[in-house]
């Protein structure tokens, strides 16, 4: 299949690449986030781990923006004819929910750092300026949202993977192979 | 009937006048002439300063009888400000001050003992992180007098050093050099009765 063009039998190579980069990055950021918030002050990773978390997060934001632009600018495989109405609706909602939660994560994560006017520094020197500041306890609120949205995102991703496995092993259709096969 | 009301009013006014011999003051929070600040050593290499932006208080100051002096201050823990959003969030979290579980800290004085013409030791109970323990604040009376806008003001600065671990705050993880926190309580009060 073409690297750029999807068809009804398979996602394009580019779509697969973006999907799997996102999946690995989301899981990686979740584990890194859980681990780093438990680090003690004198741990050598106390400063480095959040730096990596922020940089990878911003990189994923860029990937997600490209992914959405791509998603709406080329034909998209869509649901298989064998999927029920309920399955189609659930899949649509889940996919939209995953994208919405990703942006909730990007925005809330950015606000934790920038809530009092400090820039967000990523990739060892690139400064993203603060846009919203001067709201009391914005960093606390952003932190709570970031945590709740992270668990919700992982929960929804597990449902998403569970649905994919159901299509593959119970319905025995090509839903999953469209996103995994090299053809 | 009218006479009676006048009588009651007169008594009330006289009563108030009697009370304000030891004058009551409201901490001038509105005009921001009061500060609740702290400093703690970072790694043992430098001082880190912070403050609480939201607090309220009243005090009584009697120039003739200092034993009547007393103060009440309530501080909102969530208003902690060390000029760094990530650090503020961390200090307010359950790892340290746990602002959502213990939203306020209070200080209520129990004794005021002059140690010099302008200095005194103020003893009282500090409730922080859900724990109440006595502390002693070294007080300096800075000044008092009429202000240019028709009021009467008096100002003090208090300093105390505490070990927050004694209030159940997990300071150990910040290292041995950061166990003590110095508190600076700076208040200017406006006399409630408006007398000069």
């Amino acid at each position: 299949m073409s690297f750029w063009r999807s068809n009804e039998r398979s996602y394009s190579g580019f779509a697969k690449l973006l999907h799997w980069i996102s999946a690995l990055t989301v899981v990686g950021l979740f584990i890194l986030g859980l681990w780093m918030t438990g680090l003690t002050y004198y741990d050598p990773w106390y400063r480095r781990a959040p730096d990596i978390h922020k940089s990878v997060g911003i990189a994923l934001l860029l990937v997600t923006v490209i992914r959405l632009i791509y998603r709406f600018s080329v034909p998209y495989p869509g649901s298989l004819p064998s999927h029920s109405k309920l399955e189609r609706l659930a899949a649509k909602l889940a996919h939209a929910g995953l994208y919405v939660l990703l942006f909730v994560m990007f925005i809330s994560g950015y606000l934790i750092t920038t809530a009092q006017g400090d820039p967000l520094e990523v990739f060892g020197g690139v400064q993203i300026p603060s846009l919203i500041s001067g709201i009391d306890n914005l960093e606390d609120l952003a932190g709570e949202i970031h945590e709740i949205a992270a668990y919700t995102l992982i929960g929804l991703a597990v449902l998403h993977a569970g649905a994919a496995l159901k299509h593959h092993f119970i319905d025995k259709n090509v839903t999953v192979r469209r996103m995994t096969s090299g053809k | 009937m009218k006479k009676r009301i006048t009588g009651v009013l007169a008594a009330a006014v006289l009563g108030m006048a009697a009370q304000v011999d030891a004058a009551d003051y409201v901490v001038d929070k509105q005009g921001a002439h009061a500060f609740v600040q702290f400093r703690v050593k970072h790694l043992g290499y430098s001082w880190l300063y912070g403050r609480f932006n939201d607090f309220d208080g009243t005090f009584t100051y009697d120039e003739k009888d200092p034993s009547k002096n007393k103060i009440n201050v309530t501080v909102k823990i969530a208003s902690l400000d060390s000029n760094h959003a990530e650090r503020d969030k961390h200090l307010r979290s359950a790892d340290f001050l746990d602002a959502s579980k213990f939203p306020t800290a209070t200080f209520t004085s129990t004794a005021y003992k002059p140690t010099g013409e302008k200095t005194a030791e103020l003893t009282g109970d500090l409730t922080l992180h859900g724990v109440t323990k006595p502390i002693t604040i070294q007080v300096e009376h800075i000044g008092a007098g009429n202000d240019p806008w028709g009021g009467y003001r008096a100002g003090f600065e208090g300093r105390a050093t505490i070990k927050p671990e004694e209030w159940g705050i997990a300071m150990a993880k910040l290292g041995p050099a950061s166990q003590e926190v110095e508190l600076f309580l700076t208040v200017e009060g406006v006399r409630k009765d408006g007398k000069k």
Side-chain angles (χ1 to χ4, degrees):
Chain A
M1 295 300 108
S2 152
F3 183 74
W4 296 109
R5 293 244 152 230
S6 298
N7 61 33
E8 69 282 355
R9 283 180 47 222
S10 183
Y11 286 90
S12 71
F14 189 56
K16 283 176 194 155
L17 183 70
L18 292 176
H19 170 266
W20 289 108
I21 284 177
S22 297
L24 285 175
T25 309
V26 164
V27 173
L29 281 171
F30 181 70
I31 293 167
L32 177 58
L34 274 184
W35 175 69
M36 75 182 200
T37 48
L39 290 177
T40 58
Y41 197 61
Y42 284 75
D43 195 291
W45 287 92
Y46 184 82
R47 293 167 65 92
R48 207 183 305 159
D51 284 348
I52 294 170
H53 186 88
K54 292 170 190 171
S55 294
V56 173
I58 292 299
L60 183 61
L61 165 64
L62 298 177
V63 167
T64 308
V65 169
I66 291 168
R67 193 174 166 200
L68 276 174
I69 294 170
Y70 177 76
R71 159 79 175 74
F72 288 107
S73 51
V74 298
Y76 186 72
S79 297
L80 291 180
S82 61
H83 289 172
S84 71
K85 258 190 181 160
L86 182 69
E87 279 176 324
R88 284 160 199 253
L89 180 69
K92 268 219 162 74
L93 284 176
H95 296 163
L98 288 167
Y99 281 116
V100 168
L101 283 164
L102 277 172
F103 279 93
V104 171
M105 292 302 290
F106 298 139
I107 294 165
S108 58
Y110 161 84
L111 285 175
I112 292 173
T113 298
T114 60
Q116 288 178 27
D118 289 325
L120 169 63
E121 196 173 298
V122 288
F123 312 123
V126 179
Q127 295 200 335
I128 303 168
S130 164
L131 295 174
I132 301 168
S133 64
I135 301 168
D136 282 351
N137 299 102
L138 179 60
E139 58 274 24
D140 301 324
L141 180 67
E144 270 170 44
I145 291 172
H146 201 66
E147 188 177 357
I148 293 164
Y151 283 106
T152 313
L153 176 58
I154 291 298
L156 193 52
V158 166
L159 277 181
H160 170 71
L165 293 174
K166 186 238 175 204
H167 289 312
H168 193 71
F169 290 109
I170 296 171
D171 305 339
K172 297 192 190 304
N173 61 37
V174 297
T175 312
V176 176
R177 260 175 289 149
R178 297 187 307 177
M179 192 46 100
T180 55
S181 133
K183 276 190 275 178
Chain B
M1 187 69 185
K2 213 174 189 179
K3 245 184 194 163
R4 218 194 203 161
I5 292 174
T6 318
V8 169
L9 274 174
V13 170
L14 283 172
M16 270 164 64
Q19 269 175 6
V20 295
D21 264 352
D24 293 328
Y25 292 79
V26 181
V27 171
D28 187 16
K29 174 193 165 186
Q30 205 184 356
H33 294 113
F35 304 87
V36 177
Q37 301 176 98
F38 62 88
R39 69 173 187 175
V40 58
K41 274 195 179 139
H42 181 232
L43 306 170
Y45 305 153
S46 71
W47 286 111
L48 181 147
Y49 284 81
R51 62 184 197 195
F52 292 91
N53 291 327
D54 194 358
F55 54 88
D56 237 326
T58 55
F59 64 84
T60 302
Y61 182 61
D62 191 324
E63 284 175 42
K64 287 172 198 130
D65 183 5
S67 68
K68 285 192 180 137
N69 293 353
K70 57 184 185 201
I71 185 163
N72 264 299
V73 180
T74 302
V75 175
K76 284 222 172 70
I77 297 296
S79 73
L80 181 145
D81 180 0
S82 71
N83 199 25
H84 184 34
E86 291 177 6
R87 178 168 55 214
D88 293 352
K89 170 178 172 291
H90 195 196
L91 291 176
R92 293 173 195 140
S93 78
D95 281 356
F96 294 101
L97 291 164
D98 207 352
S100 51
K101 203 169 160 197
F102 308 110
T104 58
T106 58
F107 175 77
T108 309
S109 70
T110 50
Y112 184 94
K113 198 176 82 189
T115 53
E117 202 190 321
K118 290 269 181 191
T119 56
E121 274 183 8
L122 178 70
T123 312
D125 294 323
L126 174 65
T127 303
L128 176 67
H129 199 251
V131 177
T132 304
K133 287 179 85 75
I135 63 166
T136 300
I137 301 177
Q138 303 300 324
V139 175
E140 187 190 350
H141 178 32
I142 311 292
N146 294 333
D147 68 25
W149 316 286
Y152 186 90
R153 289 166 187 256
F156 302 84
E157 175 145 300
R159 289 164 185 246
T161 303
I162 63 164
K163 286 189 173 136
E165 193 85 44
E166 294 173 2
W167 279 261
I169 297 163
M171 294 296 282
K173 51 189 149 192
L174 293 179
S178 307
Q179 291 309 293
E180 292 192 335
V181 174
E182 291 182 24
L183 302 175
F184 306 94
L185 179 64
T186 307
V187 292
E188 181 179 283
V190 183
R191 220 169 136 145
K192 274 185 188 170
D193 60 356
K195 243 169 76 173
K196 300 202 177 179

